[in-house]
Amino acid sequence: MLLGKILSSFILLTGTRHIFAGIDATGFKITYASEYYTNRAKLRRKKYSKLSIGADVLQQIVCSIKIRRAPTRHDNIDFSPMITKISKIKSLSVVVADKAYDSEDNHVLVREKLHALSIMPPRYEQVPVWKTRGRYRKEMKREYNKILYNQRNKDETIVSVIKRLFGEHITSTLVRMHNRELTFRCIAYNTHRMVKLVVMVMVSTQPLNH
């Protein structure tokens, strides 16, 4: 709980008024776990942990995460709790996610309850509009703003930086420590990102020498 609050507090330091949220998921290998702990935790078929992140893609700051053992159910199950949690930090402007999160319920949550724009392309592009279920899914099938949607790529950038800085293996041997390790990595990433944002502001405000 405390680590989650620390993680979500970073976006407040940026001074942003609205969060442009992007949702994505990635896997972290747990092959460093010893055979003893692997067997005891019954992880023979669970070779990695799935990290879902909800980030402000404009600031590239992680706002909320969810960690599950993989293989697990569809990533979509984490959309609603994550985006609701992010909306309690700051109001949302836009929410983007890939086809894995295509769901009319997700659109309804974002648009009608959280009063933001949702962009999640439909999974089955070959299905005609009239056979597509849901008002907002039909809208996505007809047209959506590609420029806004492409901001989702910054989620992948965040994941790439986390893995580049801290690796894609989980080093903890105890299963209960996996969540803490990944959470600390996200906190460390946010700290790294905040330093870069501060430096960018300092450089942009320095007077030019003539």
Side-chain angles (χ1 to χ4, degrees):
M1 181 68 70
L2 176 60
L3 293 181
K5 289 182 178 179
I6 293 173
L7 184 66
S8 63
S9 68
F10 281 89
I11 192 62
L12 299 176
L13 300 177
T14 67
T16 188
R17 297 180 61 186
H18 304 283
I19 294 177
F20 187 134
I23 305 292
D24 203 0
T26 188
F28 282 81
K29 300 174 185 177
I30 57 174
T31 51
Y32 282 5
S34 69
E35 184 177 357
Y36 170 79
Y37 284 110
T38 299
N39 292 338
R40 184 164 182 171
K42 298 179 181 179
L43 291 175
R44 285 190 178 276
R45 296 182 180 179
K46 300 180 180 181
K47 299 295 185 182
Y48 62 96
S49 285
K50 178 64 73 67
L51 171 67
S52 295
I53 68 169
D56 184 305
V57 294
L58 299 184
Q59 304 293 336
Q60 295 183 44
I61 292 290
V62 179
C63 301
S64 178
I65 63 173
K66 179 66 178 180
I67 303 165
R68 293 185 181 274
R69 302 291 172 261
T72 185
R73 291 185 292 170
H74 202 277
D75 297 340
N76 189 45
I77 61 175
D78 294 323
F79 181 90
S80 178
M82 287 185 62
I83 207 64
T84 300
K85 185 175 181 180
I86 294 172
S87 71
K88 293 178 180 178
I89 304 172
K90 286 279 188 177
S91 60
L92 301 171
S93 58
V94 183
V95 177
V96 292
D98 64 20
K99 296 178 182 179
Y101 300 91
D102 171 36
S103 164
E104 185 68 11
D105 288 341
N106 290 344
H107 285 293
V108 170
L109 170 64
V110 173
R111 298 196 181 206
E112 299 182 9
K113 296 183 179 180
L114 303 179
H115 309 293
L117 174 64
S118 60
I119 303 178
M120 290 167 273
R123 279 181 298 232
Y124 309 109
E125 296 181 359
Q126 72 278 10
V127 176
V129 175
W130 65 274
K131 282 189 176 181
T132 301
R133 295 183 179 180
R135 168 189 171 189
Y136 298 115
R137 294 186 70 243
K138 288 179 186 290
E139 180 182 319
M140 293 292 101
K141 184 63 70 71
R142 293 189 184 98
E143 187 179 17
Y144 59 87
N145 190 311
K146 300 294 195 305
I147 295 176
L148 291 180
Y149 175 70
N150 287 338
Q151 292 295 319
R152 189 196 66 82
N153 295 334
K154 293 177 182 176
D155 261 329
E156 297 177 358
T157 299
I158 291 171
V159 169
S160 176
V161 173
I162 291 174
K163 290 185 175 182
R164 176 170 54 82
L165 291 175
F166 312 112
E168 55 185 63
H169 290 85
I170 299 174
T171 58
S172 302
T173 54
L174 293 176
V175 175
R176 66 174 179 269
M177 296 299 292
H178 292 172
N179 288 12
R180 289 187 183 181
E181 182 174 340
L182 287 178
T183 303
F184 276 122
R185 290 188 188 189
C186 291
I187 291 173
Y189 162 79
N190 274 359
T191 303
H192 169 81
R193 178 61 183 170
M194 285 299 302
V195 170
K196 292 191 68 174
L197 290 175
V198 169
V199 171
M200 289 167 61
V201 170
M202 292 176 62
V203 170
S204 66
T205 55
Q206 282 186 347
L208 297 175
N209 293 324
H210 295 285

